Amino acid sequence: MANSTFNGPIRSENGFEQITLDSDGVATNNFDVDSSGNVTGTGTMKMTGATNLLSDYESITGATKSITAADSGTVYGFNRAAGIVVTLPTPAAGITYTFLVETTFSGAGQIKTATTDGTDGFLGTAVLYDATTAGDMNSFVPAASNDIIDLGKDEQGWLTGGFIKLTGVNTTTWFVEAFLQGDATLETPFVDS
């Protein structure tokens, strides 16, 4: 089929698809814009010029929150002083979540792996700093058995201003990049369930 050139917008009420056909005429969908405007594809996206990509943001104000793999890329704000327990999905390579400590906790804030039986765990580092004491900073590395990030007290980084970024490495491991604000004698936020 020849190329077509249009003068004006191409409109569709049911989406757009780019496909390839195999030798039997079976179509493989490579790029899709569905009827709701959601875009999926299997190729490589390359953009030149200004690109404005926004992450989803959700303020957590309830006591519990279960996250799914479909929530990958979301930024979550911890906004319940009395405490929050977030349960992660089973990790998968490349899925990511970011957590912002927007409200100082007075009850424990926790991020738990899906299994909490020691089969899922963490790699990476949590850096804690004490803003009231110059030079008071420590970094903590999770143990193999740790399956909870616990912001359970001042010393573990429950003060406003910190963040935790999690990236799935494989089906059992989350990579942690955390920068948390604590006080007094700083302690590891990585614990066993």
Side-chain angles (χ1 to χ4, degrees):
M1 175 181 261
N3 291 334
S4 298
T5 301
F6 298 90
N7 183 1
I10 299 171
R11 298 172 60 179
S12 170
E13 293 182 346
N14 201 25
F16 296 93
E17 295 178 346
Q18 187 281 318
I19 65 167
T20 54
L21 297 175
D22 67 13
S23 59
D24 295 323
V26 176
T28 299
N29 192 358
N30 301 313
F31 180 83
D32 182 69
V33 180
D34 71 14
S35 61
S36 297
N38 299 307
V39 179
T40 58
T42 59
T44 300
M45 185 171 78
K46 180 178 179 182
M47 304 295 289
T48 58
T51 304
N52 188 9
L53 301 175
L54 300 177
S55 297
D56 286 338
Y57 170 85
E58 181 180 334
S59 176
I60 302 175
T61 56
T64 61
K65 174 71 179 174
S66 292
I67 295 174
T68 70
D71 298 318
S72 179
T74 302
V75 176
Y76 294 96
F78 284 154
N79 284 300
R80 183 176 185 269
I84 297 168
V85 176
V86 171
T87 302
L88 299 168
T90 299
I95 62 176
T96 64
Y97 310 99
T98 301
F99 301 91
L100 309 176
V101 184
E102 296 181 355
T103 300
T104 295
F105 289 106
S106 56
Q110 294 187 334
I111 301 172
K112 302 169 77 170
T113 62
T115 59
T116 62
D117 63 2
T119 57
D120 291 350
F122 302 106
L123 291 174
T125 306
V127 175
L128 275 76
Y129 69 99
D130 182 343
T132 63
T133 306
D136 188 3
M137 181 179 289
N138 287 301
S139 60
F140 299 95
V141 177
S145 61
N146 296 156
D147 51 16
I148 294 176
I149 298 173
D150 186 17
L151 309 182
K153 52 187 174 179
D154 285 351
E155 294 86 349
Q156 290 177 299
W158 76 5
L159 302 176
T160 300
F163 74 89
I164 300 167
K165 181 176 180 183
L166 299 177
T167 303
V169 175
N170 52 41
T171 59
T172 61
T173 309
W174 292 101
F175 186 83
V176 180
E177 301 169 82
F179 193 70
L180 300 166
Q181 183 174 329
D183 194 12
T185 303
L186 301 174
E187 299 178 15
T188 183
F190 300 109
V191 300
D192 295 349
S193 57

